[in-house]
Amino acid sequence: MRRWNGWGDEATVVELPANGAAFLAERIGEGQPLPDASLEQVLARVPASRLDAHPLISLDAETRVRHARGQSLPDWLAMREGDFGQFPDGVAFPETPEQIRQLLALAVERDLVVIPYGGGTSVAGHINPQASARPVLTLSLERMSRLLELDEESQIATFGPGASGPQVESQLRARGYTLGHFPQSWELSTLGGWVASRSSGQQSLRYGRIEQLFAGGTLETFTGSMELPTFPASAAGPDLRELVLGSEGRFGVISEVRVRVTRLAERESFYAVFLPSWSQALKGIRSLAQARVPLSMLRLSNAIETETQLALAGHPGQIALLKKYLALRGAGAGKCMLTFGVTGNRAQNAASLKQAKRLLKGFGGVFTGTLLGKKWEHNRFRFPYLRHALWSAGYVVDTLETATDWVNVDSLLGKIESSLRNGLKDEGERVHVFTHLSHVYGEGSSIYTTYVYRPGGSYAEALARWSKLKHAASDVIAQNRGTISHQHGVGRDHAPWLPVEKGPLGMAALRTLAVHFDPEGRLAPGVLLED
Ligand SMILES: Cc1cc2nc3c(=O)[nH]c(=O)nc-3n(C[C@H](O)[C@H](O)[C@H](O)COP(=O)(O)OP(=O)(O)OC[C@H]3O[C@@H](n4cnc5c(N)ncnc54)[C@H](O)[C@@H]3O)c2cc1C
């Protein structure tokens, strides 16, 4: 069963290795565990619903708790403390586009606010109800998860918007296809959520981001249904799919999604290479991207992330041997791990591997085969569970991300890390910070930074520290030509920084669109566009 106050399935537990806790204690001090609230305590705080009974709507307190918060750090702290803030007044579970339309009509009739809800994996405050004089209806798409049609000739699949990653892949794989979209939240996030928040999967290098995969579909709005037909390409004016991509529930509810799918590849392998320094590693990954070497995944960890990953990998004996070997081959202190994937048939993969090895060798790369690549593959959806282990050990972990042009990557990365590393200095606290690049393009790269800090003595302190760090890093991103989000979207947490990159005219255009589709401001108020 899905956890009500954290990530994933209750049955999955990922432990922090003993040397991992020691590693963190040495860097930022002993952990400071905080007490967790129980579900019973939270249920006792759920107020009576302001909605009338309706066949499509659940007013059950636990259902309302389970749809009140996403997965951002403030969400995590609220759930752990048991202080949720607002709960939706009810959760609707439509099964067809027609039922979505009925629920939107009900919202007009009863003066409701509506929050579209996919998998609730938002990390930017997208789906949290706010205090409102109008009752809040959360609209979960989880019962609309079926593969409705597979056009094998055009390789286009039509899905209900609530299909989660495993539901998308299992239905496609049964027919020999894949979507190839694997965000780290794949286990719980949904197709509609990916489109609505412009998601990027770990293998975007081969399959493309959701923007490339989203071929068309239907948006239900307060002013009618908008059909987006599929075309391989079109010069017929602005592409209306762009109004749906990144709309974050503000313009309407996506009721059907058509995606471009690919035949399952014959084989796939992941490898690790160590580069002797960050500057060599950066040149290496940029060359791979710009030479268009046909890899399916690339992830370059900076030196601190490499060190942290090796420390948290467990097996200290084997890791010590590996480090010794790498040092002998020229990748000692300051080394950076680059993981890459090849996906295709035997001949394609052999050619890609050869090209990548040869190119990386020119930058001092030491190839270590598939062992660490297999480990990455095994853990690729298990990393989010580590937040539980760190929390129990008394540490708070969060991530943030951006993207910028190559010419700016190193400088922006350094500034983000330093804003976080020094962010709690006035309190005498250290912050452990590390970064990787995992979505690379010819012209630039995403930057994905993780930071670990101690919560202090209370939940209020833990949240205040987060707020200080998040604001400092977001300011740095916005002032230094980074986008406020490469893949997590805007939600409420990033909305204050959106005008910096969209400009006044751009913001006005977005607001006009929101009013066009939702004249009474019922859909997810405050998300994407601040109130
Ligand atoms: C541990 C973890 C790892 C993550 N890793 C990645 C990653 O690798 N790549 C990445 O891109 N993101 C990642 N995310 C962020 C998150 O998973 C994505 O933003 C994802 O796209 C959200 O999908 P969801 O179905 O959970 O949407 P939700 O969180 O339910 O909703 C997100 C937004 O989309 C809207 N929405 C959802 N469904 C619909 C619909 N049918 N119609 C209209 N609006 C809708 C909501 O109203 C909301 O504004 C991660 C999150 C976590 C917690």
Side-chain angles (χ1 to χ4, degrees):
M1 186 171 193
R2 184 171 171 174
R3 285 191 173 88
W4 65 274
N5 62 350
W7 180 255
D9 193 286
E10 282 170 356
T12 306
V13 177
V14 174
E15 305 279 358
L16 191 63
N19 62 326
F23 175 84
L24 282 174
E26 190 193 317
R27 269 154 188 83
I28 58 172
E30 291 295 330
Q32 299 170 320
L34 290 176
D36 289 337
S38 68
L39 180 57
E40 290 65 37
Q41 286 168 325
V42 176
L43 289 174
R45 292 183 179 180
V46 181
S49 170
R50 294 172 288 176
L51 294 175
D52 297 331
H54 185 283
L56 293 177
I57 301 175
S58 167
L59 306 181
D60 166 60
E62 187 170 333
T63 307
R64 291 166 62 200
V65 168
R66 288 179 175 275
H67 293 82
R69 285 289 189 157
Q71 294 290 327
S72 70
L73 193 70
D75 291 333
W76 172 275
L77 295 174
M79 293 188 288
R80 290 281 152 172
E81 187 180 14
D83 187 2
F84 272 58
Q86 303 297 316
F87 297 93
D89 287 277
V91 185
F93 294 96
E95 295 182 11
T96 61
E98 174 54 29
Q99 289 183 345
I100 295 177
R101 292 192 285 273
Q102 282 171 19
L103 287 161
L104 293 184
L106 182 82
V108 175
E109 194 185 305
R110 303 280 166 84
D111 195 16
L112 312 180
V113 162
V114 177
I115 302 180
Y117 183 103
T121 68
S122 155
V123 281
H126 285 96
I127 50 93
N128 312 354
Q130 303 297 296
S132 163
R134 299 184 286 188
V136 178
L137 178 65
T138 290
L139 200 154
S140 165
L141 283 312
E142 72 170 55
R143 294 194 187 153
M144 297 176 68
S145 59
R146 280 192 310 118
L147 171 61
L148 302 168
E149 192 192 337
L150 178 61
D151 170 353
E152 297 201 42
E153 207 169 335
S154 316
Q155 299 200 334
I156 292 177
T158 306
F159 276 97
S164 66
Q167 287 169 334
V168 168
E169 284 302 320
S170 60
Q171 294 180 82
L172 286 177
R173 270 161 201 253
R175 308 274 297 268
Y177 288 87
T178 179
L179 177 62
H181 190 73
F182 303 108
Q184 200 183 59
S185 57
W186 179 77
E187 197 181 326
L188 300 174
S189 55
T190 64
L191 202 42
W194 298 337
V195 172
S197 52
R198 298 188 85 101
S199 165
S200 194
Q202 291 162 344
Q203 287 173 266
S204 62
L205 202 55
R206 173 178 168 87
Y207 299 103
R209 288 164 60 91
I210 202 70
E211 292 97 298
Q212 283 86 47
L213 298 169
F214 177 52
T218 311
L219 184 74
E220 311 295 345
T221 82
F222 281 108
T223 41
S225 301
M226 186 166 74
E227 282 297 329
L228 300 165
T230 58
F231 302 112
S234 164
D239 188 342
L240 294 182
R241 283 174 308 168
E242 285 292 338
L243 300 189
V244 178
L245 284 159
S247 55
E248 302 195 351
R250 279 304 295 257
F251 300 165
V253 182
I254 303 162
S255 59
E256 216 166 79
V257 185
R258 284 188 268 285
V259 279
R260 297 168 175 144
V261 298
T262 312
R263 271 253 164 231
L264 278 170
E266 259 173 42
R267 51 188 72 212
E268 178 164 77
S269 307
F270 299 95
Y271 303 89
V273 175
F274 286 81
L275 284 303
S277 68
W278 176 245
S279 70
Q280 289 292 85
L282 203 52
K283 285 183 205 148
I285 195 169
R286 178 159 55 83
S287 301
L288 283 174
Q290 293 179 338
R292 315 264 185 233
V293 180
L295 303 175
S296 59
M297 171 266 183
L298 264 174
R299 174 182 168 134
L300 172 63
S301 300
N302 72 357
I304 310 178
E305 180 167 296
T306 301
E307 197 187 341
T308 306
Q309 280 191 332
L310 294 178
L312 298 184
H315 315 291
Q318 281 172 316
I319 296 294
L321 275 179
L322 172 71
K323 283 183 174 171
K324 218 168 170 178
Y325 166 74
L326 291 172
L328 279 174
R329 301 280 314 272
K335 64 186 164 301
C336 297
M337 182 164 82
L338 187 149
T339 315
F340 68 89
V342 294
T343 305
N345 63 32
R346 182 195 285 269
Q348 286 168 335
N349 288 3
S352 307
L353 178 61
K354 194 170 163 194
Q355 233 181 317
K357 278 171 77 173
R358 189 188 303 142
L359 192 147
L360 290 170
K361 206 168 171 196
F363 296 97
V366 184
F367 184 69
T368 60
T370 54
L371 197 72
L372 289 166
K374 280 193 178 132
K375 202 162 174 64
W376 174 83
E377 191 180 5
H378 173 72
N379 286 326
R380 62 192 291 189
F381 306 122
R382 289 167 64 86
F383 286 117
Y385 287 91
L386 249 189
R387 192 183 243 185
H388 292 268
L390 288 165
W391 178 253
S392 304
Y395 297 103
V396 182
V397 60
D398 196 24
T399 61
L400 50 82
E401 38 85 52
T402 179
T404 193
D405 298 343
W406 281 119
V407 71
N408 192 37
V409 167
D410 196 28
S411 152
L412 179 57
L413 188 160
K415 287 176 185 156
I416 293 170
E417 283 206 342
S418 130
S419 72
L420 293 167
R421 196 166 289 125
N422 299 319
L424 301 179
K425 258 196 175 150
D426 57 338
E427 299 178 40
E429 280 294 313
R430 288 171 289 165
V431 183
H432 185 54
V433 187
F434 50 89
T435 300
H436 64 252
L437 314 183
S438 51
H439 299 271
V440 293
Y441 309 89
E443 65 276 25
S445 173
S446 69
I447 298 173
Y448 189 97
T449 299
T450 303
Y451 54 103
V452 187
Y453 67 93
R454 302 195 305 163
S458 68
Y459 276 94
E461 208 170 337
L463 184 61
R465 285 181 179 177
W466 173 83
S467 183
K468 209 190 247 184
L469 295 169
K470 178 80 178 174
H471 274 77
S474 300
D475 283 346
V476 161
I477 288 171
Q479 289 157 12
N480 291 279
R481 296 195 292 118
T483 171
I484 197 59
S485 177
H486 168 266
Q487 66 203 54
H488 288 165
V490 179
R492 277 197 182 75
D493 295 354
H494 297 148
W497 290 275
L498 192 64
V500 179
E501 63 190 82
K502 301 293 183 207
L505 208 56
M507 290 303 289
L510 291 176
R511 283 190 190 284
T512 305
L513 281 169
V515 172
H516 174 71
F517 290 120
D518 176 21
E520 288 161 335
R522 298 189 184 286
L523 281 162
V527 169
L528 184 67
L529 306 166
E530 280 189 300
D531 290 330

